[in-house]
Amino acid sequence: MASGPVASPRKEADSPRNFFAEKSRACGYCELRSKGFCSRLSENQKALLAEVSRLVTLESHKTLFRQGEEADNVYVVRNGMLRLYQRMLDGRRQVIGFAKAGDLLLFPFSERNDYSADALDSVYLCQFRRQDFLGLLQREPELLSALAVITHDELTRARYQIALLSQRKAEPKMAQFLLALFESCARPDSNPMAIPVRVPQADIADYLGMTVETVNRTMARLVRDAIISVAKHGLDLLDVKRLREIAESY
Amino acid sequence: MASGPVASPRKEADSPRNFFAEKSRACGYCELRSKGFCSRLSENQKALLAEVSRLVTLESHKTLFRQGEEADNVYVVRNGMLRLYQRMLDGRRQVIGFAKAGDLLLFPFSERNDYSADALDSVYLCQFRRQDFLGLLQREPELLSALAVITHDELTRARYQIALLSQRKAEPKMAQFLLALFESCARPDSNPMAIPVRVPQADIADYLGMTVETVNRTMARLVRDAIISVAKHGLDLLDVKRLREIAESY
DNA sequence: CGTTTATTTGAGACAACTCAAGTTGCGTGG
DNA sequence: CCACGCAACTTGAGTTGTCTCAAATAAACG
């Protein structure tokens, strides 16, 4: 449920002392992210945020929060991946994105959650009481402009998704989606590129506006042609060049 | 071109005296808009903005600015309608929205224009030098939070478009699009609802990710069934209930 | 009044959808 | 350790709706 994901002893951090120690390490990690919210902040601002943050973990398949609920908290993802989705009026589920380390979840000024979020694997987050976060925004205009900028970044990504969905053909759609996901998961150290979690085909289908069957057949073709490979832990990119060609094939 | 749309004598406002008089009337008008940027501002903030604003008009079919150009200005639409679009890597044109009175065009922190904008009819705008706008944002945190909020509103609209594009069938897509456009054009005084400008079918096609032919056939059916009617000046909504039914028909 | 641009209509191909039936993988409990 | 059950994935065959291509008409503009 939304209000109380319990901190699990993934990295023994339950005593106040360890708790804070964990926190600063967390910020260090988040800094590595290129698009992360925290990466835009000064040390001083990060210290202010750390003061009001709580660490929470969420097991795979659990729901962090639901669309429409009162927004008590906002989150920054530290580790793992979540699917973000909305339920449409006609009952369809629209996956609007996949959140990774460094991403801010929920907009602090919104009084209700705009979307739902489920963990795709074991997830580790920084939680902020929305009111605390708002207070900080009021005191720190720098934080406020960082918020405006990352919201605009999200808008840019949403427009990218719009362009994706306008594609008629399944293959370039899939290729563009995979490329973006691979790139957003890319770490300087890991080569070749890999997506470290197993993303259900149903989620991809609801992201791309296709059926599971079409997603499956399209991915099967990519695997057969040795462009990607699937494993228990996630996806590996075998042939970037060919995937790019397919992405641009229109 | 982007840099200098010339003020035309639609409402003789070229002398400094008339120029300012026009301006305050403009703000009064914008306040009526529910989603308008200016409607979120205090009188004091509007006065500050008015100090650095210039009135510009743009003839039908002219381009206000182009994607990728250096962003010298931002705009608030006062009157008329524009189409906003991006050119994708594969050459496709993606229409990302239709701007109306009260809408802010371009994100002040972006150094290059994210999209292009063309007038669909005669358009009247408030122009701000981006640097002036940024200076004001720095001095007025309230303005900054207004910017964050309207950027988030745009994100919400983008997600609505995402849900639209995921639809497989042309009819509900069209119906949902038209409903949203009718509603965003709605004025308390005008009943029944009407879209006061002629939106080219090619633009609708590039918004919904369909071909002109399909757009045409789908609209023709709506007209034949007396749900909407087309005129030189725009579109009229004849049967809201039926249009809603079609929109939800999946 | 001719030229350009936008809209309309038709016929056929094709790719994704639907429905229906397997298969695989994985956690649970006997 | 195996049997079971559930959920995710896979495969097949037929349907359908949009796209494609091509051409005619209508409207807009100078």
Side-chain angles (χ1 to χ4, degrees):
Chain A
M1 294 296 123
S3 45
V6 182
S8 76
R10 185 197 233 259
K11 275 213 163 201
E12 306 76 24
D14 287 335
S15 80
R17 192 171 298 274
N18 282 331
F19 187 68
F20 284 111
E22 268 301 83
K23 242 192 294 207
S24 48
R25 259 196 276 152
C27 286
Y29 177 78
C30 287
E31 258 185 305
L32 295 174
R33 304 291 313 174
S34 55
K35 291 257 171 185
F37 174 66
C38 298
S39 73
R40 300 184 178 279
L41 309 178
S42 68
E43 285 307 317
N44 181 40
Q45 286 158 357
K46 272 186 281 201
L48 286 170
L49 275 173
E51 265 176 54
V52 295
S53 81
R54 285 183 51 209
L55 285 170
V56 294
T57 66
L58 190 66
E59 284 167 44
S60 187
H61 299 279
K62 298 285 184 205
T63 299
L64 182 58
F65 53 78
R66 280 181 217 282
Q67 176 182 19
E69 287 175 343
E70 203 176 327
D72 298 319
N73 302 295
V74 300
Y75 303 86
V76 174
V77 182
R78 199 138 97 62
N79 224 316
M81 193 183 278
L82 304 96
R83 65 162 165 253
L84 314 179
Y85 58 97
Q86 294 179 322
R87 189 68 56 177
M88 308 326 296
L89 303 156
D90 55 18
R92 257 172 45 254
R93 187 187 71 151
Q94 177 66 53
V95 171
I96 58 173
F98 298 93
K100 291 164 291 289
D103 290 341
L104 175 68
L105 303 183
L106 297 174
F107 185 69
F109 290 103
S110 292
E111 302 188 343
R112 302 210 155 263
N113 299 333
D114 292 327
Y115 49 83
S116 304
D118 303 339
L120 285 183
D121 59 346
S122 195
V123 169
Y124 216 26
L125 313 106
C126 292
Q127 183 190 56
F128 306 87
R129 289 194 55 76
R130 192 169 74 87
Q131 292 304 333
D132 293 343
F133 203 98
L134 284 175
L136 229 52
L137 285 174
Q138 204 164 16
R139 268 171 281 140
E140 294 284 324
E142 290 287 321
L143 217 58
L144 196 51
S145 61
L147 177 66
V149 170
I150 65 158
T151 305
H152 182 258
D153 287 345
E154 260 187 272
L155 181 58
T156 301
R157 257 173 288 157
R159 284 176 180 152
Y160 185 83
Q161 189 180 354
I162 284 170
L164 252 191
L165 288 167
S166 292
Q167 292 270 15
R168 321 80 211 342
K169 301 264 170 65
E171 246 192 342
K173 246 175 161 172
M174 190 62 147
Q176 285 179 42
F177 162 72
L178 287 175
L179 272 175
L181 197 56
F182 274 119
E183 268 156 28
S184 78
C185 287
R187 315 279 321 270
D189 50 309
S190 78
N191 207 313
M193 295 207 275
I195 297 164
V197 295
R198 179 163 252 281
V199 182
Q201 296 186 348
D203 292 340
I204 301 177
D206 286 347
Y207 182 88
L208 296 177
M210 331 193 297
T211 58
V212 251
E213 292 93 331
T214 303
V215 167
N216 184 281
R217 285 187 250 259
T218 310
M219 282 195 85
R221 216 173 308 140
L222 292 177
V223 171
R224 181 170 45 68
D225 296 352
I227 293 167
I228 59 170
S229 73
V230 295
K232 260 199 299 291
H233 57 276
L235 286 178
D236 293 306
L237 180 49
L238 304 179
D239 195 335
V240 205
K241 193 154 157 287
R242 295 247 276 132
L243 194 58
R244 286 232 168 81
E245 282 169 15
I246 294 170
E248 281 154 26
S249 66
Y250 170 58
Chain B
M1 291 295 126
S3 44
V6 182
S8 77
R10 182 198 234 256
K11 275 216 163 197
E12 306 75 26
D14 286 335
S15 81
R17 192 171 301 273
N18 283 331
F19 188 67
F20 285 113
E22 268 299 84
K23 243 193 293 205
S24 48
R25 259 196 278 151
C27 287
Y29 177 77
C30 286
E31 257 183 307
L32 295 174
R33 305 291 313 173
S34 56
K35 290 259 171 185
F37 174 65
C38 299
S39 72
R40 299 183 179 279
L41 309 178
S42 69
E43 285 306 318
N44 180 41
Q45 286 158 358
K46 271 186 282 203
L48 286 169
L49 273 174
E51 266 176 51
V52 295
S53 82
R54 284 184 50 208
L55 287 168
V56 294
T57 66
L58 191 65
E59 286 167 42
S60 188
H61 298 279
K62 299 285 185 206
T63 299
L64 181 59
F65 53 78
R66 280 182 217 283
Q67 176 182 18
E69 286 175 344
E70 204 175 330
D72 297 320
N73 302 296
V74 300
Y75 303 86
V76 173
V77 181
R78 198 136 100 62
N79 224 317
M81 193 183 277
L82 304 97
R83 66 162 164 253
L84 315 179
Y85 58 97
Q86 294 179 321
R87 189 67 58 178
M88 308 327 294
L89 303 155
D90 55 19
R92 257 171 46 251
R93 187 187 70 150
Q94 177 65 53
V95 172
I96 59 173
F98 297 94
K100 291 163 291 292
D103 290 341
L104 174 69
L105 303 183
L106 297 174
F107 183 69
F109 289 104
S110 291
E111 302 188 344
R112 303 210 155 264
N113 299 333
D114 293 326
Y115 50 83
S116 305
D118 303 339
L120 284 184
D121 60 346
S122 195
V123 170
Y124 217 25
L125 313 107
C126 292
Q127 182 189 58
F128 306 87
R129 288 195 55 76
R130 191 169 73 86
Q131 291 304 332
D132 294 342
F133 204 99
L134 284 175
L136 228 51
L137 284 175
Q138 204 163 17
R139 267 172 281 137
E140 294 283 324
E142 289 288 320
L143 217 59
L144 196 49
S145 61
L147 177 65
V149 170
I150 64 156
T151 305
H152 182 258
D153 287 346
E154 261 189 90
L155 181 58
T156 302
R157 256 174 288 157
R159 286 179 179 151
Y160 186 83
Q161 189 179 354
I162 284 170
L164 252 190
L165 289 166
S166 293
Q167 291 271 16
R168 322 87 204 343
K169 300 260 170 65
E171 248 193 342
K173 246 172 158 171
M174 191 63 148
Q176 286 179 43
F177 163 72
L178 287 175
L179 272 175
L181 197 57
F182 274 119
E183 268 157 28
S184 77
C185 287
R187 315 279 320 269
D189 49 308
S190 77
N191 207 315
M193 295 206 275
I195 298 163
V197 296
R198 179 163 254 282
V199 182
Q201 296 185 349
D203 291 342
I204 300 177
D206 286 347
Y207 182 89
L208 296 178
M210 331 192 298
T211 57
V212 253
E213 293 92 331
T214 303
V215 167
N216 183 280
R217 285 187 251 258
T218 309
M219 283 195 83
R221 217 172 308 141
L222 293 176
V223 171
R224 179 168 47 68
D225 297 352
I227 294 168
I228 59 171
S229 74
V230 294
K232 259 201 296 295
H233 57 275
L235 286 179
D236 292 306
L237 180 49
L238 304 180
D239 195 336
V240 206
K241 193 154 157 289
R242 296 247 277 131
L243 194 58
R244 288 232 168 81
E245 282 168 15
I246 294 170
E248 282 154 25
S249 66
Y250 170 58

